[in-house]
Amino acid sequence: MREHGARAAALERWVRAVGAEFPPRLAGDDAVHQDFHPGNLLAVDGTVTGVIDRDGAARGDRRLDLVTLRFGVEGTGADPGVVARLDAVLDGMPEEVLRPAWAHMSLRMVDWAIRHFAPGEVFRWLDLAERRMDGPA
């Protein structure tokens, strides 16, 4: 990431700083999907009826899935009300959960985009990541 550009390098430095500030794992015994995005949700008439693709599920803090979902709805044409509601929920999370979870997803998505997609995709994920690098959006 450092070699990809100044923004990616700044994100990498921020992720390292967050990692040094907080424990290496989010505490908790909740079931966490870890890939919670609209493509893994089944719905009928706007009501979620199921969640699929649980092969990466683990124990931890369930709120990680809400951060994952926020990344998952970015750029998908999701209803702006859904995005605003997710942002409001994230704004209410304790920093000891939100910051490490946001750092994790930022690193995950930017790294994936660098390795697999065109620069425009990298910038899209950097734009989202930077929204909470210094606190709430």
Side-chain angles (χ1 to χ4, degrees):
M1 282 183 53
R2 287 180 218 149
E3 296 173 13
H4 190 270
R7 290 176 69 198
L11 175 64
E12 190 264 347
R13 286 189 303 275
W14 179 77
V15 168
R16 284 185 182 274
V18 170
E21 183 179 349
F22 295 98
R25 289 183 183 78
L26 289 175
D29 291 322
D30 304 321
V32 182
H33 188 279
Q34 297 197 90
D35 195 20
F36 197 64
H37 63 80
N40 284 336
L41 301 175
L42 303 177
V44 174
D45 297 326
T47 300
V48 175
T49 59
V51 179
I52 61 172
D53 190 19
R54 292 188 164 273
D55 64 324
R59 293 227 177 257
D61 190 308
R62 67 190 176 280
R63 294 170 290 192
L64 173 62
D65 280 342
L66 294 174
V67 174
T68 304
L69 182 60
R70 177 59 183 90
F71 275 78
V73 299
E74 183 66 18
T76 64
D79 183 300
V82 170
V83 175
R85 175 69 178 126
L86 273 170
D87 282 337
V89 169
L90 298 185
D91 289 345
M93 279 188 190
E95 285 296 304
E96 66 269 13
V97 174
L98 179 59
R99 289 192 59 187
W102 194 265
H104 166 81
M105 284 306 300
S106 296
L107 177 64
R108 179 173 157 186
M109 297 309 294
V110 171
D111 173 67
W112 185 260
I114 288 170
R115 291 186 293 122
H116 298 286
F117 297 107
E121 279 295 297
V122 176
F123 297 136
R124 178 167 75 101
W125 295 116
L126 282 167
D127 289 345
L128 179 59
E130 290 168 346
R131 290 182 198 169
R132 290 186 182 268
M133 282 175 57
D134 293 322

